[in-house]
Amino acid sequence: MSPLLNRKSKQQPPAQGEREREREREREREMYRCSNTVIGFLNLLTLLSSIPIIGGGLWMAKSKTSCESFLQTPLLIIGFVILTLSLAGFIGSCFYVAWVLWLYLAVMFLLIAALMALTVFGFIVTNRGGGVEVPGRVYKEYHLENCSPWLRKRLKDPRYWETIRTCILGSKTCAKIAYWTPFDYLQRDMSPIQSSCCKPPTACSYAVDATTLAQDPDCYRWNNAPNLLCYECDSCKAGVLETMRIDWRKLSILNIVMVILLICIYSVGCCAYQNTKRAQTDNPYGQNRMSKVRPRWDFYWWRWLDDRRHRLY
């Protein structure tokens, strides 16, 4: 059909089907607008949440407590990653910068994959562990050979264990049970660290006639000094690893929730990215964003043929 006939057909009133298609396109534009608004709002919230995380990391840098400085670097890394990612998503979705939004989605995809891998690794590592029941006691005791080999390997570095040991001393965990009576040891429960680091193993015997008996090596490592106790015992390391195992399990469950949330945000971000690309070539908001329209390759041929036909007739 010639371009002239096309122009005449466009002057006619639109058919019912054309109006339905226009309504459908308008609904799609509304959906795309909503996706950009949602992704911009979510990134604004995460951008604001990264500020106290970075502030907490900087505050820990001034602290002299080993437990707090131990968490300083991870907090700063997480805070700056969230800040950069949220800023990129906010700029890309609200200001229709397609390449920034593409970069945001690429990093988000890598983050989702990393969290999924970390979650699976966490469940594998924390599969082994757990305490041993002590007859006549409420608490449990822990043995290093029952822990995960990967976690045991982390404690071989003396500097790493010295940091944890200083943490336990600073938290005054053992001071909470220093004044327990023998009846308390029978009736009350203990945390893994209290059960392993603050007392010798229950099977130990310090009677005079028991010196020749074969006992757990931790029985000989025990010392009544408040700054020594059983901090160099294998059972103390097992108690620390058990605490890490419990916390890692909780973190893995939180990671699952975070992965589901990030997948939802990623899906909305994909819609926002499509909307941003359409905003550069289409007219979704009633404003023509195209600076130049390039005709199809056969437009000039059809116009030349149409002019020749009118001249002949």
Side-chain angles (χ1 to χ4, degrees):
M1 185 179 292
S2 67
L4 183 61
L5 295 178
N6 284 336
R7 287 195 296 269
K8 290 181 180 180
S9 62
K10 289 180 181 179
Q11 293 175 0
Q12 297 175 358
Q16 184 68 23
E18 184 65 27
R19 284 197 290 266
E20 290 294 332
R21 286 191 293 271
E22 185 63 30
R23 293 194 193 100
E24 184 66 25
R25 284 194 293 267
E26 186 62 31
R27 282 193 294 267
E28 291 180 0
R29 292 164 186 166
E30 290 291 338
M31 182 186 68
Y32 283 123
R33 273 192 227 112
C34 179
S35 65
N36 274 61
T37 303
V38 170
I39 201 69
F41 180 73
L42 290 175
N43 280 284
L44 180 61
L45 290 180
T46 54
L47 178 67
L48 295 176
S49 67
S50 66
I51 296 176
I53 295 177
I54 296 175
L58 294 176
W59 178 78
M60 286 181 181
K62 298 180 179 180
S63 176
K64 296 182 180 180
T65 305
S66 299
C67 295
E68 294 175 347
S69 61
F70 185 70
L71 298 173
Q72 171 198 347
T73 302
L75 274 179
L76 287 176
I77 292 175
I78 292 173
F80 279 110
V81 168
I82 293 176
L83 176 66
T84 305
L85 192 62
S86 302
L87 189 61
F90 182 78
I91 293 175
S93 60
C94 294
F95 297 96
Y96 297 93
V97 185
W99 70 270
V100 174
L101 201 53
W102 182 89
L103 184 63
Y104 165 79
L105 292 175
V107 177
M108 180 73 75
F109 178 80
L110 295 177
L111 181 61
I112 292 173
L115 278 177
M116 292 178 66
L118 180 63
T119 302
V120 174
F121 177 74
F123 278 111
I124 294 175
V125 168
T126 59
N127 189 37
R128 294 185 59 182
V132 178
E133 297 285 346
V134 181
R137 304 290 193 275
V138 180
Y139 58 83
K140 296 180 180 180
E141 291 186 343
Y142 304 88
H143 302 287
L144 194 59
E145 59 270 14
N146 295 335
C147 299
S148 169
W150 187 87
L151 289 176
R152 292 203 304 264
K153 188 178 179 181
R154 301 302 100 187
L155 295 182
K156 287 185 177 180
D157 188 355
R159 293 175 299 177
Y160 187 74
W161 176 247
E162 186 62 28
T163 301
I164 297 177
R165 185 177 180 275
T166 307
C167 269
I168 300 173
L169 281 171
S171 63
K172 298 181 180 180
T173 303
C174 294
K176 298 175 183 177
I177 65 171
Y179 299 101
W180 277 17
T181 63
F183 182 77
D184 291 328
Y185 281 95
L186 293 173
Q187 299 293 326
R188 300 178 67 174
D189 196 6
M190 298 183 189
S191 67
I193 293 179
Q194 288 176 333
S195 172
S196 305
C197 303
C198 304
K199 67 172 189 60
T202 306
C204 293
S205 177
Y206 295 100
V208 177
D209 56 350
T211 55
T212 59
L213 298 176
Q215 301 192 81
D216 191 318
D218 286 344
C219 297
Y220 305 105
R221 298 188 182 107
W222 165 259
N223 194 304
N224 284 324
N227 61 334
L228 294 176
L229 297 182
C230 210
Y231 293 131
E232 299 301 326
C233 300
D234 288 342
S235 60
C236 184
K237 297 178 181 178
V240 171
L241 292 182
E242 178 64 19
T243 304
M244 293 173 60
R245 190 185 77 90
I246 296 173
D247 292 340
W248 205 338
R249 280 274 171 155
K250 296 177 182 178
L251 181 62
S252 297
I253 296 174
L254 178 62
N255 283 343
I256 294 175
V257 178
M258 287 297 299
V259 166
I260 296 174
L261 179 62
L262 288 176
I263 289 175
C264 296
I265 297 176
Y266 183 81
S267 302
V268 178
C270 290
C271 295
Y273 176 66
Q274 294 295 330
N275 184 29
T276 302
K277 290 176 60 180
R278 175 174 291 190
Q280 295 176 352
T281 56
D282 202 354
N283 186 18
Y285 298 105
Q287 299 175 0
N288 190 2
R289 299 177 182 269
M290 294 186 295
S291 59
K292 181 171 65 175
V293 177
R294 181 173 297 175
R296 207 172 65 175
W297 63 272
D298 61 342
F299 172 77
Y300 297 104
W301 289 97
W302 280 112
R303 195 168 78 172
W304 181 80
L305 289 174
D306 187 69
D307 289 342
R308 295 294 295 176
R309 184 172 62 85
H310 280 287
R311 288 179 184 178
L312 291 175
Y313 302 102

